[in-house]
Amino acid sequence: MRKIKKFKVAVHLKEILRRIRLANIDSSAAGFPLESDLAVFIASLHQALRPGVVYEFIEGQCLELSSAGIKHEDRFSVCAVTLGREIEEAAAVLTNMHAAAIANIVIYDFLRTAITFIADLIKEDAAKEDFEVEGYELLSSPVFAYGPLPRFLREAPKADPEIAKAALPALFERLNAAKINVKFENGQVWPKATVVFIMPWRKKKGKK
């Protein structure tokens, strides 16, 4: 198991602003009449980040997954990555639905950046063994009340939600997810801004 806390999540300001425009959210109604006002708000959310990740390479069956009905018999990595609870608390105080929608777009983009960072680390681990990685399969990802679900979550393969829920408590224990303050409680993953996924490995073409 590998644990990383306090890794850096970059702010892709132009991309976030583009996503806000595509969502047709009224920034003025949200309280951000100027782009500079939006930038300050995004920066304030970034300051609330407390990211952490735990992930493990597994070869063959994983009892915590297979006992719930999720079969992976080859090599793969399983990962839980979170932005922490503080950023959710910062967004939760927003009573303006336009501002809440913008906050959720920002949180989703931070999650996308964090997942990309971890996926790149897993790719590096696989390459050292002459393996490649496939796209990730989601076991758990957040859905917020406001703001559109981004493509990187919407189009990713997903395990059956009920089956995944059955696997998560034991999987979190195996990963020692408590080290990054992630838990499964009352049928949900906490903090909410957390993504759990599987990334299969495959042998590079031409390698035996």
Side-chain angles (χ1 to χ4, degrees):
M1 185 269 294
R2 293 184 65 183
K3 173 178 67 72
I4 302 174
K5 295 183 71 173
K6 297 183 180 179
F7 60 89
K8 186 175 181 180
V9 176
V11 181
H12 302 290
L13 182 59
K14 289 184 178 179
E15 177 63 17
I16 293 173
L17 294 175
R18 185 184 72 85
R19 293 178 185 275
I20 292 170
R21 288 193 296 270
L22 287 175
N24 293 318
I25 298 173
D26 188 337
S27 298
S28 294
F32 312 118
L34 301 176
E35 190 172 285
S36 58
D37 297 321
L38 267 176
V40 170
F41 175 63
I42 292 166
S44 71
L45 291 176
H46 187 258
Q47 290 176 352
L49 286 176
R50 301 294 185 274
V53 61
V54 284
Y55 64 103
E56 181 178 346
F57 165 72
I58 298 172
E59 185 172 11
Q61 284 282 356
C62 169
L63 180 61
E64 291 80 2
L65 294 174
S66 61
S67 61
I70 301 173
K71 303 295 184 182
H72 279 276
E73 297 181 356
D74 298 319
R75 298 186 177 198
F76 63 95
S77 293
V78 61
C79 173
V81 57
T82 185
L83 300 182
R85 63 178 177 79
E86 287 83 357
I87 191 169
E88 293 176 37
E89 293 171 351
V93 300
L94 299 171
T95 56
N96 182 310
M97 63 178 293
H98 301 283
I102 288 174
N104 288 337
I105 288 174
V106 176
I107 291 172
Y108 276 136
D109 200 75
F110 289 163
L111 270 176
R112 180 181 62 84
T113 301
I115 291 171
T116 300
F117 170 75
I118 302 308
D120 286 345
L121 290 180
I122 294 173
K123 288 176 185 177
E124 291 176 5
D125 289 342
K128 293 174 184 177
E129 304 294 329
D130 288 326
F131 276 76
E132 299 172 324
V133 296
E134 300 177 9
Y136 48 80
E137 176 186 349
L138 296 174
L139 297 179
S140 177
S141 59
V143 176
F144 298 112
Y146 301 105
L149 187 68
R151 187 167 67 179
F152 80 94
L153 295 180
R154 187 175 65 247
E155 297 184 356
K158 301 174 182 64
D160 179 272
E162 294 307 313
I163 293 177
K165 284 182 179 181
L168 287 174
L171 187 62
F172 281 179
E173 185 174 351
R174 174 173 181 147
L175 292 174
N176 201 2
K179 288 287 187 180
I180 56 168
N181 300 315
V182 167
K183 60 183 178 179
F184 187 80
E185 188 174 81
N186 298 324
Q188 293 199 23
V189 175
W190 303 99
K192 192 172 182 180
T194 299
V195 173
V196 186
F197 63 88
I198 297 167
M199 182 168 278
W201 294 28
R202 64 172 182 269
K203 198 70 175 177
K204 287 184 179 180
K205 292 181 179 180
K207 298 291 184 177
K208 295 183 180 181

